[in-house]
Amino acid sequence: MQKATVTPITGGLDLVSPPISVAPERCIAVRNYEVTDQGVARCQGYERFDGQTAPSAATYAVLNFDGGSGAISAGDTVTGATSGATGVALYDASVSSGSWAGGDAAGFLVLYKVSGTFQDNENLQVASVTKAVANGTQISEGATDDTTHNSYMDDVRTALRALIGAVPGSGGIRGVHVFNGDVYAFRDDAGGAQCVMHKATSSGWVAQSFGRVLYFDAGSAAFSEGETVTGGTSGATATVERVVQQSGTWGGLDAAGYLVLSGVSGAFQDNEALSGGSGGAATANGVDAAITLAAGGRVRCVNHNFYGTSNLQRMYGVTSTGRAFEWDGTVLAPIDTGLSAALDKPKFIGVHANHLLLGYDGGAVQFSGTGLPLSFMAVDGAGEFGIGQDVTGILSAAATATVVFAENRIGYLTGTSSTDFRFDIISQESGAKTDSAVMANEPIFMDNQGVRRLSTSQAFGDWKMGSLSRLVQPYIENRRRTGKTVVGAHAVHAKDQYRLTWDDGHVLVVYLGGKQPEITVFEYGFTPTCAAQGEDATGAGRLFYGTSDGYVIEADKGVSFDGSAIEAYIRSPWRHQGAPDVTKRYHGLNISMDGGETGATISVAVEYSYADDEVYPKAAESATAPGRGGFWETAVWDEFYWDTSMQSPVRVDLDGIGDNLSYVVMSNSDSEEPHILSSDTVWFTPRRTNRRKAL
């Protein structure tokens, strides 16, 4: 009599349990799948990024024309002479009747990057030359059938992808950061002399220009931001953007520090009198110099508002090869802590109780004055503490607690000012790999043993460490043994995930939304140098990588790996249907699957009895799940197929004999949305109990 077992597919990798005891919902091999609250989903794609239209945002329009007198070629920008609407021709114009030479060509254009609405009977121009006349307005995604539509979409994605460029410069990306919804990337210039900050725009990467810095001493009257400073001897002028006092007092006539200047006209001279239009007075201590970022480092940044007013959030960064900096979107101010230029090279940055924290090699952590991120004077509440080893990360774990990581040590800072700051050591043995620590509700990081979570029931104190990666320890050990280096980590809050990325593009994905952590692995096809995340103007989370060849990649975007197919597989444990000693005849396997918006094709192969050579496996068999169904009035028109169910069982007929079975699901596509595997059903008939001799 046939029996059936139903098993949810909800777990991650288990590489340590004996085969007979691996939980049936888990997997024993996986690539490019992730655990979700609905099952196990093939991962999303990634695509190159520079601020221009993303391939994942591809769309097109069909525009009919007549009266054609001049050929329109692929790549031409077509403009409506009356409407001002524009679009780029995806292909040469398709002519269905007439001819260009006869002035009566009629047909249609496929346009992408369309802006505005073309008007019926308006002239269609290329470079101000009329080529044809619009025959109606454009038809959004107006292909005549699904096959043609898919072909157009693929070609638009390819065209958009080709427009997206690398960050100008040389070497790998030094850092990526999101500030006020804008994406910034850091890369050394072509000669490797300095690091350049670029901003992503609708036209691609744009290098940001910085002002100049002028040190002063003998200050007798404070300068104000926005006033004009004039050199008494040189006659040079500039606008004061920032005033940083480093020592002395204005009242004592010995204030010293530096001015951040913009709009400099002329050249300031050493020892000349400086006078401000609003009364500032001091003496130049050197000449003005261009503000630059040092090359060769790793840029790490945080955003914070130290000043209370909503429009004063700023970006603070370190390069590890030069001084820290502040950026407000227009003005970059170097942060000179008072250390010599040879020593003032912080590698990590954080914020605690409205103090800016800078972490250095050797274990020193300097903190700024209270609410004064540019001041490191003790009189303003600045100071220093140490962890005794090179700092590898700084995380604000709560409003009044900040965790500082070293390679083999963890400490935490509490208090609200230099008068009550307290730094205690949590662990003298465990620490965090560089750039592995992020806040995913609690601090999560990787140490020499694996991925750990640092938890506490209070804002500070009573810290406990727990391992998250025990079931994939062989994978972790292989990463360490083969010398792979962590380049960054993401806290993907929308998916309850912690992701850890190595320099070969492997990503450990830890799902934290269940009773236990569930781990899978992505394998990306690029060489990452850094990782970053942030929010766009709408508050949506975004994930980025910098690459060794100068590109910025946005993860969890699109349906391909930057145009290449996503190869994915997942293998079930050896399932014995609750009877490991009973031989069974297997009749069928059903996999309950959500095919996503587009539908999905998978291949399924089955093996029996721990892949016994004497038992023939089931060869890979392809199956297709249709696009996702929807509920009337709750789903978006055109985004699903009306006659399909929410879940589609994929049936695989079997005729195998064995004590157990394991199956692998494979997919390989550059155009399908992610699919989700939620459960499987195995049909079988018990045959006999295997008798084993006693030892």
Side-chain angles (χ1 to χ4, degrees):
M1 179 178 179
Q2 279 194 25
K3 296 184 177 181
T5 58
V6 180
T7 304
I9 306 173
T10 57
L13 272 171
D14 184 346
L15 302 178
V16 299
S17 299
I20 198 172
S21 60
V22 175
E25 70 273 9
R26 288 207 163 98
C27 59
I28 57 175
V30 68
R31 178 185 185 186
N32 294 330
Y33 276 90
E34 59 186 335
V35 178
T36 74
D37 57 1
Q38 297 176 307
V40 178
R42 197 216 67 193
C43 71
Q44 294 175 268
Y46 62 77
E47 58 192 13
R48 65 189 69 180
F49 171 87
D50 69 357
Q52 298 188 79
T53 303
S56 59
T59 187
Y60 67 90
V62 174
L63 178 62
N64 294 311
F65 68 86
D66 52 25
S69 58
I72 299 175
S73 303
D76 285 346
T77 297
V78 179
T79 303
T82 304
S83 66
T86 61
V88 179
L90 184 61
Y91 313 108
D92 292 349
S94 177
V95 177
S96 56
S97 66
S99 67
W100 300 114
D104 60 351
F108 66 91
L109 293 164
V110 180
L111 303 175
Y112 69 105
K113 297 191 73 173
V114 176
S115 175
T117 303
F118 290 91
Q119 295 182 14
D120 186 24
N121 288 322
E122 71 174 329
N123 289 337
L124 301 178
Q125 298 182 333
V126 176
S128 300
V129 177
T130 297
K131 300 288 188 176
V133 178
N135 183 10
T137 61
Q138 75 259 31
I139 305 168
S140 178
E141 298 189 358
T144 55
D145 55 67
D146 286 346
T147 300
T148 304
H149 167 78
N150 292 336
S151 178
Y152 288 171
M153 289 293 287
D154 286 345
D155 289 343
V156 173
R157 292 188 190 106
T158 299
L160 292 173
R161 189 176 298 114
L163 297 174
I164 298 173
V167 179
S170 63
I173 298 297
R174 298 295 182 184
V176 180
H177 190 69
V178 183
F179 170 60
N180 283 348
D182 293 320
V183 180
Y184 294 88
F186 299 82
R187 193 182 189 194
D188 292 350
D189 64 12
Q194 60 182 290
C195 183
V196 180
M197 179 168 67
H198 299 262
K199 180 180 176 180
T201 73
S202 59
S203 301
W205 295 110
V206 175
Q208 302 300 284
S209 59
F210 308 145
R212 301 181 73 83
V213 63
L214 177 63
Y215 281 79
F216 66 84
D217 54 20
S220 58
F223 292 91
S224 301
E225 293 183 7
E227 75 174 313
T228 299
V229 60
T230 302
T233 304
S234 66
T237 61
T239 300
V240 176
E241 299 290 353
R242 300 286 183 271
V243 182
V244 182
Q245 183 183 347
Q246 294 181 289
S247 64
T249 64
W250 300 102
L253 310 182
D254 61 350
Y258 56 95
L259 304 175
V260 177
L261 307 175
S262 65
V264 176
S265 176
F268 290 93
Q269 297 180 14
D270 187 21
N271 288 321
E272 70 175 332
L274 302 175
S275 59
S278 299
T283 300
N285 183 14
V287 299
D288 60 293
I291 297 172
T292 61
L293 298 178
R298 167 73 165 85
V299 180
R300 301 175 177 92
C301 303
V302 297
N303 302 329
H304 191 71
N305 187 341
F306 285 93
Y307 307 103
T309 306
S310 60
N311 64 345
L312 290 180
Q313 174 160 281
R314 293 174 180 172
M315 178 172 96
Y316 298 87
V318 295
T319 67
S320 76
T321 52
R323 299 192 193 278
F325 63 88
E326 175 195 76
W327 172 254
D328 68 356
T330 303
V331 176
L332 188 137
I335 300 176
D336 183 342
T337 65
L339 293 174
S340 69
L343 297 176
D344 201 359
K345 299 178 180 180
K347 295 180 68 174
F348 292 90
I349 191 164
V351 176
H352 176 82
N354 223 28
H355 295 258
L356 186 67
L357 305 181
L358 301 177
Y360 294 78
D361 279 344
V365 179
Q366 292 206 40
F367 55 88
S368 73
T370 307
L372 298 170
L374 305 185
S375 174
F376 282 77
M377 294 195 300
V379 69
D380 287 332
E384 180 180 332
F385 62 91
I387 193 171
Q389 297 178 0
D390 291 351
V391 177
T392 60
I394 299 175
L395 282 184
S396 293
T400 56
T402 294
V403 181
V404 179
F405 296 91
E407 183 74 18
N408 296 295
R409 189 171 295 174
I410 304 173
Y412 70 103
L413 176 68
T414 58
T416 59
S417 71
S418 59
T419 60
D420 66 352
F421 277 165
R422 175 174 171 175
F423 186 70
D424 294 299
I425 298 298
I426 299 171
S427 173
Q428 294 278 11
E429 298 178 354
S430 178
K433 294 295 184 182
T434 297
D435 293 321
S436 71
V438 297
M439 279 297 299
N441 296 322
E442 297 173 314
I444 298 181
F445 59 96
M446 181 179 178
D447 66 6
N448 289 325
Q449 304 305 315
V451 178
R452 294 183 179 273
R453 173 163 46 197
L454 192 62
S455 60
T456 178
S457 59
Q458 302 175 12
F460 56 90
D462 299 326
W463 294 95
K464 297 180 181 179
M465 279 189 291
S467 174
L468 301 178
S469 57
R470 182 184 64 83
L471 292 180
V472 296
Q473 197 59 33
Y475 177 85
I476 299 292
E477 291 174 357
N478 177 266
R479 299 271 88 195
R480 182 171 60 249
R481 186 172 59 253
T482 55
K484 302 302 184 290
T485 301
V486 171
V487 298
H490 291 119
V492 189
H493 299 290
K495 294 184 176 182
D496 289 323
Q497 290 177 351
Y498 167 81
R499 295 185 188 176
L500 183 73
T501 303
W502 283 271
D503 58 359
D504 63 349
H506 282 224
V507 183
L508 191 77
V509 183
V510 184
Y511 175 67
L512 302 167
K515 293 181 179 179
Q516 301 180 62
E518 304 291 351
I519 295 177
T520 58
V521 175
F522 297 165
E523 294 183 18
Y524 287 157
F526 57 85
T527 303
T529 57
C530 58
Q533 66 184 101
E535 295 181 349
D536 63 18
T538 69
R542 304 181 72 177
L543 310 176
F544 294 97
Y545 291 100
T547 71
S548 60
D549 57 354
Y551 280 89
V552 171
I553 296 292
E554 184 166 12
D556 284 8
K557 292 282 286 187
V559 294
S560 71
F561 280 176
D562 200 34
S564 297
I566 301 176
E567 298 180 3
Y569 62 78
I570 183 169
R571 181 163 190 163
S572 76
W574 292 98
R575 304 265 188 79
H576 49 65
Q577 292 72 49
D581 292 332
V582 174
T583 299
K584 312 161 190 76
R585 177 177 290 278
Y586 290 99
H587 305 288
L589 168 68
N590 261 22
I591 299 175
S592 185
M593 175 176 166
D594 181 338
E597 303 294 346
T598 57
T601 298
I602 62 172
S603 295
V604 183
V606 181
E607 291 185 303
Y608 307 99
S609 295
Y610 300 121
D612 189 332
D613 290 341
E614 297 181 0
V615 181
Y616 290 108
K618 170 71 175 181
E621 180 177 306
S622 294
T624 299
R628 181 179 298 143
F631 298 109
W632 186 265
E633 292 185 346
T634 65
V636 180
W637 187 276
D638 284 340
E639 288 190 0
F640 62 88
Y641 298 89
W642 285 96
D643 58 351
T644 62
S645 62
M646 295 297 289
Q647 290 282 331
S648 300
V650 173
R651 170 78 180 190
V652 180
D653 292 325
L654 303 177
D655 187 18
I657 296 175
D659 297 345
N660 50 51
L661 65 72
S662 171
Y663 67 85
V664 58
V665 174
M666 299 162 282
S667 68
N668 186 4
S669 173
D670 62 1
S671 60
E672 294 175 354
E673 295 284 348
H675 57 266
I676 302 174
L677 312 175
S678 57
S679 66
D680 64 52
T681 304
V682 176
W683 281 274
F684 66 97
T685 300
R687 298 191 67 189
R688 65 179 183 274
T689 300
N690 295 321
R691 300 183 182 276
R692 293 178 170 82
K693 295 181 179 180
L695 296 177

